[in-house]
Amino acid sequence: MTSADHSAALSPSRIGTFRNCPLQFRFQVIDKLPAKESPVRRRGTLVHSVLENLFDLPAKERRFESADQKIYEIWEDTIDENPELYAELFKGDKSEENQFLESCRELLANYFLMENPDRLNPAHREKYLRVTNKDHLRLHGYIDRVDISPTGLVRIVDYKTGKAPAERYIGPYQFQIRFYALIWYLTQGDLPARLQLLFLKDRQVYTYTPTIADIDATNAEILAVWEQISSQARSGDFPPRRSPLCNWCDYRAHCPLLGANPPEISEEGVQKLLSTQVN
């Protein structure tokens, strides 16, 4: 499966979107309706890019000052490559841009209170993995960071730029990190010793030790979700689901819950999606 085939694979974010709202999943994955740029989404991209690049520096130079400088360098390159992005995000308001960049600085300052990057030597950053599981489902995902100890123990790390959820809402985040453990296990033949989520907004760390039972349970969970997705794809019926997230949805203009008429479903997109499961 090449990068062009990403639409025929399941990822944690796609599964999360389907669970939140099947119609949003349809618009995003099948119909490929364009999503709006937002400061929140762009902030996550920028902070992740800075943290990825941080480990290119010699250990002694991995300080907040270096990350702070890198924020502006990456942002300037982003705007140079995509000039219309500035107007789309900030409507030409320089103060909004300044607030955006300051929020990025705060998240990165928090990161340096959570870890000492000069003591880390990641084996992988933004590691892309793709695999077909035992149920013949194509799976893929990007892992923010993989640390491997001198004794070979593996730690998978994922950065989150939002706040840590209350314990009763940790489920989707736990599923995501277990999904990464699964694709690592299937591609590398090695069960990670530790899974870690770093919530930069409030400096909270979630740590989980996976087991082989977790791998089996995650496979079963993915298959159960896929059976729902494929059934709805064949029927063409992806019902909307109302939730507080509706206020931030990119597809409000197409949602029947808001009085809109959705476009016809893309049959080509349906067939592409169904090829997620290999015969």
Side-chain angles (χ1 to χ4, degrees):
M1 185 173 60
T2 67
S3 59
D5 296 320
H6 286 182
S7 59
L10 293 175
S11 66
S13 61
R14 285 188 173 174
I15 290 174
T17 298
F18 178 79
R19 284 171 157 170
N20 288 332
C21 178
L23 185 59
Q24 184 186 31
F25 174 90
R26 187 205 117 178
F27 289 155
Q28 182 183 94
V29 177
I30 296 178
D31 300 325
K32 299 191 181 304
L33 299 182
K36 294 179 181 178
E37 282 287 356
S38 73
V40 171
R41 187 177 293 135
R42 185 56 61 170
R43 178 166 53 242
T45 300
L46 180 53
V47 170
H48 277 74
S49 295
V50 173
L51 291 172
E52 179 186 2
N53 281 273
L54 179 67
F55 292 98
D56 289 333
L57 299 173
K60 64 180 181 181
E61 296 178 22
R62 297 173 193 163
R63 300 288 184 266
F64 171 70
E65 292 75 16
S66 299
D68 192 21
Q69 180 180 349
K70 187 61 70 173
I71 291 173
Y72 294 92
E73 291 176 359
I74 294 176
W75 181 241
E76 288 176 5
D77 289 344
T78 300
I79 295 301
D80 287 344
E81 294 172 4
N82 189 4
E84 63 274 15
L85 178 64
Y86 181 84
E88 187 174 352
L89 287 175
F90 309 117
K91 307 296 187 290
D93 188 332
K94 187 67 176 178
S95 65
E96 288 193 15
E97 181 190 25
N98 289 338
Q99 291 174 17
F100 165 78
L101 292 172
E102 182 59 28
S103 68
C104 294
R105 295 181 74 245
E106 291 173 358
L107 291 171
L108 287 165
N110 283 346
Y111 168 75
F112 283 88
L113 297 173
M114 301 173 73
E115 289 192 318
N116 293 320
D118 56 328
R119 299 180 181 177
L120 298 171
N121 186 26
H124 304 284
R125 289 165 283 153
E126 285 296 309
K127 177 69 171 176
Y128 178 68
L129 295 175
R130 61 192 183 192
V131 69
T132 300
N133 73 356
K134 66 183 181 65
D135 298 305
H136 310 291
L137 288 168
R138 291 175 169 136
L139 312 175
H140 77 142
Y142 286 89
I143 300 175
D144 289 342
R145 199 179 84 214
V146 180
D147 301 329
I148 302 179
S149 75
T151 59
L153 296 178
V154 174
R155 176 174 65 177
I156 288 177
V157 180
D158 193 63
Y159 307 120
K160 296 298 181 188
T161 52
K163 289 183 178 180
E167 185 175 353
R168 64 183 181 275
Y169 298 123
I170 196 66
Y173 298 93
Q174 187 182 67
F175 171 78
Q176 178 187 14
I177 202 74
R178 286 195 289 110
F179 187 106
Y180 293 150
L182 167 65
I183 59 176
W184 179 269
Y185 178 75
L186 293 179
T187 56
Q188 311 300 314
D190 184 19
L191 183 67
R194 178 164 294 182
L195 311 176
Q196 196 167 72
L197 292 161
L198 301 184
F199 292 93
L200 304 181
K201 182 74 172 179
D202 48 6
R203 302 200 301 274
Q204 297 295 311
V205 180
Y206 173 82
T207 301
Y208 188 79
T209 301
T211 65
I212 292 298
D214 289 320
I215 297 299
D216 292 338
T218 303
N219 259 318
E221 192 172 349
I222 291 169
L223 178 61
V225 174
W226 170 249
E227 288 174 345
Q228 296 177 55
I229 292 173
S230 59
S231 174
Q232 292 183 18
R234 291 186 176 93
S235 70
D237 181 22
F238 285 84
R241 181 172 297 145
R242 192 183 297 277
S243 79
L245 296 174
C246 292
N247 294 328
W248 292 275
C249 182
D250 292 318
Y251 309 109
R252 291 170 60 84
H254 305 288
C255 182
L257 295 179
L258 299 174
N261 292 317
E264 291 293 320
I265 192 170
S266 166
E267 290 302 326
E268 179 182 356
V270 167
Q271 294 307 312
K272 186 71 172 177
L273 173 67
L274 291 175
S275 70
T276 295
Q277 190 161 37
V278 183
N279 294 324

